[in-house]
Amino acid sequence: MKKQTLLSALSSSVAIVVSAVLSPLWAQSSAPVKPLTIEAIFAPGGLSGRGPENIEWSPDGTKLSFVQRDDAGEHGELWYVDAATGEKKVLVSAAKLASLAPDTNKVKDERERERLTRYHVAAYLWAPDSKHLIFDSQGQLWLFDPATGTAVQFTSAPDPSGDPKFSPDGSHLSYVRKHNLYVRPASGGDEKPLTKDTAENLFNGDIDWVYAEELSVRSNYFWSPDSKQIVFLHMDETKVPTYPLVNLIPTHPMVDNEKYTKVGDPNPVVKLGVVEADKGNGRVRWISLTNDAESYIPRFGWVRDGVIWAEVLNRNEDKMDLYFVDAKSGKSRIVLTETTPGAWIDFEHAEVRFLKSSGAFLWPSWRDGNTHLYLYSFDKQNPLAADAKLERQLTHGDFKVLGIDGVDEAAGTVFFNSNQGDPRQRHIFSAKLDGSGLQQLTHDEGLNFATFSDDGKHYELTFAGPTTAPRTSLCAVGGACSSVWQARDEIAEYGLRAPKFLEFKAEDGTTLYGRLLLPADAQASAKIPLIVDIYGGPGGQMVLKGAPNAFDEILARKGFAIFAVDNRGTPGRDRKFATAIRHEFGAVELKDQLTALDQLSAQYPQLDKDRTAIWGWSNGGSMTLYAMTHSDRFRAGVAVAPVTNQINYDSIYTERYMGQLKDDPAGYAESDVTKSAANLHGALMLAHGTGDDNVHFQNSMQMIDALIKAGKQFRLMIYPNKTHSIAGSDARDQLFHMIEEHFERELR
């Protein structure tokens, strides 16, 4: 139920899918030269054009590579930018790329296409020598030599291979197939299976759905620095229940049973294994870190040759231990424990980063109330000899560190993303490892995201600001930037306008940030119907100074005002703000929304209190249902892909915020909107995809059943086999026209 990352949401089409992650721009625009329509928004490429994809740094830091396709995806090339000169050149021609890295939008299977795009699965990987590439072409691996322009098929098994990795010395390539690890010499020769489980419920180095979605796991195995061993995560999903995803289109329906741990269900049982990469004899040294079968291992890797690190997170997600492990003996030691009583471990925003040249690591924590970076040291020669030592806190203040972007160890500098100065913006900062020299690298107002080269000397910068179209640049630290890609100017071309950014006060005095877009031609004496665009949960921030929201503009041109406010419990703020919803979904969020609405009405009396609607997607859909069954304020609403009962959703996300069901059954019962169906006020439209493997269609089915039993009328739209994003221009066009028509019908 988490929103997609902001970086992937810079195009307006994707932003709208997740109920407008990014806020509309401030700036007033000149008269539009192109008609703004729903079809234009969801056409291939959207309003701004298709940006660079699969952006990667070569290991030596000299090249920034990316795939650039036309809007329809029919023509694409792999380019690189020279970090020293800024010169752009084609690395792989369109003809070759068409077979080596087909456009993911051409993948027919809805779930597989969403997996590739939602989790940003890499289409290619640089070899350690920065002279070769490995491509994943729909499950078959190809080794490509840019110098000769030749590609050699590396795998040809009938089952797909994925997550390829070169050994650090470049001599071997590893990959996952049918939940097992394989390795093969990069120069050719026979592949060797490193694990040999045959049961479908046993994963070796592979990733299940919930670890990918809720722990942001993108790989579950890693080479040792000396290229001799691989450490991997073994997952046993035998006791994890299945959820049936049914395709009802064929004459004889097909069923795909998805392993899915719901609230209170058994989690995958996990442990670490170490295997010799050159033997392929199936012998694994198992490492048992804890006797708690309910624990998670969200991150692990190598401290150095022979020593592994691993994070172990308890099921309540309020305690995480950092282990150092001797890979040969299996002996382990907890060197650091982080606890957050009454909260949760917010590790996703800034993960642990080990420094290669010294015995030290960067550790994120919100122990002082905000997420900041801390530097710890340890004895690199004998890491298990003692606990890690806190050297210093690197960042301080009333702001949040949102991610470590890079480290220049030679210069003693860490680079990170932060919302310092304004929770509605994102900027790149640097600080010295000695705690001095905090600097802001980006200054244009808006959202900035960076990917640094391994040496920390250069970075790719993606920017979406309030007055200019999105752009991608290659920048030298302390130097100039060169253009990589510039979006079409959707602001000028389509006449997108700025909302007003507003501030409100929650009942406890906390500042709440909001935005309001009024109709351009609204008369002061006329009453304006209002639509509240809501997300409201811990996975998404609505009020950000970034790319435009074209659907808001379409509604505004129909005479509606569009309003959004980030209630307590949404991200981007301090720990107190985030944890206000702990053990309770709905009540605090709705209270803040209604409080902000009251203050908005006082500031803008032309807004019609009697013609107020609400809509949202995912958690926003849940909040729409909660608002319409716990308040009579809303005359109409649209809930897309909502969770209707929290016990229907996955364990990791829900229990992080609600706690375990056995500990708080009353809290879960109060968040079940199906029990309040009889209290529905206003005209409801409900929409859901039957192939949603994230928020299951079951949620809407239960709500439909409750509404029917309560004698409540509502509208319903079902999207056959569509996943959580209800992707595709045909489905999007249809859905958003229905939303527009629903509000026009009910608010006039």
Side-chain angles (χ1 to χ4, degrees), residues 57 88 162 434 450 487:
W57 279 102
K88 291 194 290 187
D434 63 8

Side-chain angles (χ1 to χ4, degrees), residues 87-235:
E87 183 182 10
K88 291 194 290 187
K89 292 183 178 180
V90 174
L91 194 62
V92 180
S93 68
K96 286 189 173 65
L97 192 69
S99 58
L100 293 174
D103 183 8
T104 55
N105 290 323
K106 308 298 183 184
V107 176
K108 294 182 179 180
D109 183 85
E110 292 273 349
R111 290 177 61 199
E112 175 62 12
R113 183 167 64 247
E114 178 145 313
R115 183 188 74 86
L116 293 171
T117 55
R118 185 175 179 85
Y119 303 139
H120 309 289
V121 177
Y124 66 92
L125 179 75
W126 282 96
D129 64 3
S130 297
K131 295 179 180 179
H132 297 83
L133 297 161
I134 193 77
F135 281 88
D136 182 350
S137 180
Q138 297 183 338
Q140 297 300 337
L141 305 181
W142 291 74
L143 190 63
F144 182 76
D145 184 348
T148 62
T150 57
V152 177
Q153 188 168 357
F154 198 80
T155 61
S156 57
D159 296 302
S161 304
D163 193 15
K165 292 182 184 179
F166 285 97
S167 59
D169 64 7
S171 64
H172 287 76
L173 188 74
S174 56
Y175 39 92
V176 177
R177 183 190 303 137
K178 293 193 71 174
H179 308 327
N180 281 298
L181 278 168
Y182 290 81
V183 67
R184 185 183 178 191
S187 58
D190 295 335
E191 69 177 16
K192 296 178 181 178
L194 300 182
T195 61
K196 299 179 181 180
D197 285 325
T198 57
E200 280 294 314
N201 292 321
L202 301 180
F203 288 28
N204 295 292
D206 208 350
I207 312 168
D208 74 341
W209 182 88
V210 74
Y211 264 57
E213 175 68 16
E214 306 301 4
L215 294 175
S216 298
V217 173
R218 298 296 176 258
S219 185
N220 260 338
Y221 78 94
F222 302 96
W223 283 89
S224 61
D226 63 5
S227 301
K228 294 181 179 179
Q229 299 180 93
I230 291 176
V231 61
F232 65 94
L233 189 70
H234 175 84
M235 309 182 78

Side-chain angles (χ1 to χ4, degrees), residues 2 210-211 213-216 263 296 298 313-318 340 342-348 366 538-539 579 581-583 585 650-660 668:
K2 241 178 2 181
V210 74
Y211 264 57
E213 175 68 16
E214 306 301 4
L215 294 175
S216 298
V263 169
Y296 308 109
L313 179 68
N314 68 340
R315 181 154 183 164
N316 284 337
E317 300 181 61
D318 58 4
T340 56
W344 53 84
I345 300 293
D346 190 27
F347 71 92
E348 286 186 77
W366 60 356
T579 58
I581 60 168
R582 180 74 164 162
H583 291 292
F585 271 6
D650 74 65
S651 57
I652 296 181
Y653 177 95
T654 313
E655 293 172 3
R656 180 183 301 155
Y657 311 113
M658 292 285 292
Q660 294 192 53
Y668 277 92

